[in-house]
Amino acid sequence: MDPAYAAVVQIDLVALIVDEYDPAIAFFTDVLGFDLVEDSPSLTTDGRPKRWVVVRPPGAQTGILLARADGEHQRAATGNQVAGRVGFFLRVDDFDATYRRMAEAGVTFVREPRAEPYGRVAVFLDIAGNRWDLLGFG
């Protein structure tokens, strides 16, 4: 592989299909503690209004583009973007405090915390219904 190419490549955004922008922004910023990086007016490819909404964990490089479902095909994928598997992974410094805070905020955990060789893990649902692993130690 060309080292010059590898030095400039990173995953910038991952799209997450949501029902509506504002409740999704609130979930990711108020509940998960992400930063709202951008919320700008935009247009669909055929000229209809939409928003370009990006959230990102504090200090992270990769962000999540919150994309409002557009049409039946996309609405059907909301909450099932990875066919029912855990498809997103949130690593935190203080697992216990984060788990407690999320549970108190009403986040749905579908698997209680357990110990694994790589740390503690619990599975939760985001606002759209996608499965995430909460990962950490302590």
Side-chain angles (χ1 to χ4, degrees), residues 42 56 90 107 125 132:
S42 188
R56 181 182 302 139
L90 182 63
V107 172
L125 302 178
W132 290 62

Side-chain angles (χ1 to χ4, degrees), residues 3-88:
Y5 175 77
V8 297
V9 174
Q10 70 180 23
I11 295 175
D12 186 46
L13 295 172
V14 175
L16 187 69
I17 302 170
V18 297
D19 289 324
E20 292 294 335
Y21 296 113
D22 292 330
I25 290 169
F27 176 82
F28 281 95
T29 60
D30 298 343
V31 176
L32 296 188
F34 287 24
D35 295 327
L36 177 61
V37 177
E38 187 171 358
D39 185 354
S40 303
S42 188
L43 297 173
T44 62
T45 54
D46 60 358
R48 290 174 291 121
K50 69 174 186 176
R51 288 160 62 185
W52 182 263
V53 178
V54 176
V55 294
R56 181 182 302 139
Q61 290 186 337
T62 302
I64 298 173
L65 173 69
L66 300 177
R68 186 179 61 197
D70 185 14
E72 281 306 311
H73 185 68
Q74 290 183 20
R75 274 192 285 283
T78 303
N80 194 28
Q81 290 193 193
V82 291
R85 295 183 58 105
V86 170
F88 306 95

Side-chain angles (χ1 to χ4, degrees), residues 109-122:
F109 282 89
V110 295
R111 292 214 182 101
E112 295 300 312
R114 66 184 191 277
E116 294 290 342
Y118 49 83
R120 309 247 342 260
V121 61

Side-chain angles (χ1 to χ4, degrees), residues 31-32 34 86-103 107-116 118-125 130-138:
V31 176
L32 296 188
F34 287 24
V86 170
F88 306 95
F89 304 84
L90 182 63
R91 183 167 296 280
V92 298
D93 288 336
D94 188 336
F95 180 91
D96 291 333
T98 304
Y99 175 81
R100 235 182 348 269
R101 183 179 54 75
M102 289 172 63
V107 172
T108 300
F109 282 89
V110 295
R111 292 214 182 101
E112 295 300 312
R114 66 184 191 277
E116 294 290 342
Y118 49 83
R120 309 247 342 260
V121 61
V123 179
F124 70 94
L125 302 178
N130 295 294
R131 291 173 181 257
W132 290 62
D133 270 357
L134 176 64
L135 302 163
F137 295 97

